[in-house]
Amino acid sequence: MSVALGTTRPLPVRTTSVGDPGDLLASLPRTAPFAWIRHGEGLVGWGEAARVTVPPGPRRFAWARQWLADVLGDARIEDAVKTPGSGPVAFGTFTFDEDVPGSTLIVPRTILARRDGRAWLTTVGEPGLQPFTPVRTPGRIRYSDGSLTAPEWEAVVARAARRIRAGELEKVVLARDLLATAERPIDIRLLLDRLSRRYPECYTFSVAGLVGATPELLVRRTGKHIESLVLAGTTPRGTSAADDLARGTALFASEKDRHEHECAIASVRQTLAPLCSSLHTPDEPELLVLPNVQHLASHVTGRLADGASVLDVVAAMHPTAAVGGTPTGTAIEVIRELEGMDRAGYAGPVGWIDAHGDGEWGIALRSAVVDGNRARLFAGGGIMGNSDPSSELAEAQAKFRVMQYALEG
């Protein structure tokens, strides 16, 4: 369903430079906030000038791009800033599985942004008034099992590992969910504030009830230049500096984790090469150290051959081996068979796109779907033939702590 608010006349859009707004998240009203923040920079938005639920299927990204072109093609845009993210912007979230409904694009009525020492405000149509209310904590949080109990999920991991050892596939990424119920309605602004402060290296996001802080940049497009950060291979942080160093060293030397990372890099290289006139992938990963875990990480850069939209690149890359598996088609079928749940937007693309096709999209990891006083948390990990179910469960539990901290403080 598509909704364009206001009259049938072309949308008036106006972007002007503003002084430093300070904390971007502090500007958000309570109702349906949008956010994409890293190190205090990025975009926040509120209100809805246009919204669409994207039909599921293999052409959903192309459909979304055409919808955006239709909505913004006749817009009367006054843009005094002229930089990626100025002018009208659509925030989006796509379900992990292309056959599952729920993918959404929204053009906010008001967008406030800051990047590289510049700040700007964009209004689309008549911005209207959004009542600002104080941020309130959700109170006591109760947790309960999601689709599977911990022992049931360990059994699923064991089944997947047996199928990998049998040669059916090389790797599959399995996720699990955890349900949280709060005393009071959950204020998304509180989650965003806690996540952005504790995980500044991550991309803190909020789109259509999906909230989180992902370390994984799927793609950034600026003109013809693209960037991607590939993460695969994870270990929890240590209990001391020495333990932390030992865990990082062991991760870097782990045959299982290095192979998992190589699968992810090969997947990105294979999907981006046809779109790029040049592409660089590093020979060795580096360690990305976050407050709760350490990852093997590789920074990929390239130059688009034909100026494809960021959504075209997202369409080519999703799902990556880092969130699906290898080979991807087989891994997706194994996920559908074994996982026992609907991932919704978890591990799907989340981010923003402007009217010029520039944008930033991450993979919605370390996230939750928030609805009233309930939240559904997600976490997962890459399963290989020698994966130990109890270790994989511990890794997933470590990843749950990101959103548990956001809820509890």
Side-chain angles (χ1 to χ4, degrees):
M1 180 182 69
S2 174
V3 177
L5 303 179
T7 70
T8 58
R9 293 174 295 177
L11 285 171
V13 181
R14 188 165 183 260
T15 298
T16 57
S17 295
V18 297
D20 188 343
D23 183 359
L24 291 172
L25 295 173
S27 303
L28 288 170
R30 178 163 187 163
T31 306
F34 306 100
W36 180 265
I37 298 291
R38 182 173 184 263
H39 287 308
E41 296 199 336
L43 300 85
V44 297
W46 56 92
E48 293 185 6
R51 179 187 183 117
V52 71
T53 300
V54 180
R59 289 190 50 79
R60 59 185 179 152
F61 294 105
W63 191 98
R65 181 181 180 181
Q66 185 59 54
W67 175 82
L68 194 63
D70 292 342
V71 169
L72 300 182
D74 295 328
R76 302 196 313 272
I77 301 174
E78 298 178 31
D79 185 357
V81 178
K82 299 187 184 302
T83 192
S86 66
V89 169
F91 286 78
T93 169
F94 287 82
T95 57
F96 171 81
D97 192 325
E98 65 181 24
D99 292 335
V100 172
S103 301
T104 305
L105 279 178
I106 303 168
V107 179
R109 284 194 178 275
T110 306
I111 301 156
L112 182 63
R114 179 177 55 224
R115 174 180 291 176
D116 299 330
R118 305 177 71 187
W120 60 92
L121 177 71
T122 298
T123 56
V124 183
E126 295 298 327
L129 295 175
Q130 290 284 335
F132 186 89
T133 58
V135 176
R136 190 181 185 191
T137 62
R140 189 170 64 90
I141 307 293
R142 293 185 293 106
Y143 295 100
S144 57
D145 286 329
S147 304
L148 299 175
T149 65
E152 288 170 339
W153 193 75
E154 286 181 305
V156 166
V157 170
R159 289 172 61 190
R162 286 196 295 270
R163 292 173 70 163
I164 293 169
R165 291 195 297 270
E168 185 176 341
L169 69 168
E170 285 188 68
K171 169 192 170 182
V172 63
V173 180
L174 293 178
R176 62 185 303 250
D177 58 346
L178 179 69
L179 304 180
T181 304
E183 286 185 276
R184 296 184 289 271
I186 298 168
D187 193 328
I188 288 174
R189 297 173 301 173
L190 178 66
L191 309 188
L192 293 173
D193 180 69
R194 286 173 172 171
L195 290 171
S196 65
R197 292 178 187 278
R198 179 132 179 177
Y199 303 97
E201 288 286 340
C202 294
Y203 296 87
T204 298
F205 60 86
S206 170
V207 184
L210 181 67
V211 185
T214 179
E216 191 148 358
L217 177 68
L218 182 62
V219 62
R220 174 188 296 118
R221 176 195 186 264
T222 308
K224 288 192 174 184
H225 180 73
I226 60 170
E227 303 171 60
S228 180
L229 181 64
V230 180
L231 305 181
T234 306
T235 188
R237 292 295 302 272
T239 56
S240 66
D243 184 33
D244 207 38
L245 178 61
R247 286 173 181 266
T249 302
L251 175 64
F252 204 81
S254 165
E255 181 179 347
K256 177 258 185 190
D257 289 291
R258 289 295 290 264
H259 181 57
E260 180 183 344
H261 193 81
E262 288 165 8
C263 287
I265 287 290
S267 169
V268 169
R269 187 185 299 114
Q270 182 178 6
T271 54
L272 285 183
L275 296 173
C276 293
S277 58
S278 63
L279 185 66
H280 173 71
T281 57
D283 295 329
E284 290 280 325
E286 59 188 43
L287 281 177
L288 175 64
V289 180
L290 300 174
N292 60 321
V293 294
Q294 300 182 62
H295 294 291
L296 293 179
S298 291
H299 190 226
V300 178
T301 59
R303 184 169 179 80
L304 291 172
D306 61 356
S309 159
V310 69
L311 279 182
D312 296 321
V313 184
V314 170
M317 294 185 70
H318 179 75
T320 67
V323 294
T326 306
T328 302
T330 304
I332 296 302
E333 291 305 317
V334 171
I335 289 170
R336 288 169 175 164
E337 179 185 345
L338 296 184
E339 206 168 69
M341 70 172 188
D342 170 16
R343 290 188 179 188
Y346 171 74
V350 62
W352 62 269
I353 176 175
D354 67 17
H356 302 289
D358 287 328
E360 293 178 307
W361 290 77
I363 299 175
L365 306 175
R366 320 295 194 270
S367 59
V369 174
V370 176
D371 184 10
N373 70 330
R374 295 177 177 271
R376 186 176 174 221
L377 285 60
F378 297 90
I383 310 303
M384 308 295 287
N386 59 350
S387 288
D388 172 61
S390 61
S391 297
E392 298 296 339
L393 179 65
E395 179 180 322
Q397 289 172 330
K399 293 173 179 175
F400 275 138
R401 292 192 193 112
V402 173
M403 291 309 300
Q404 288 177 311
Y405 167 78
L407 287 166
E408 300 170 14

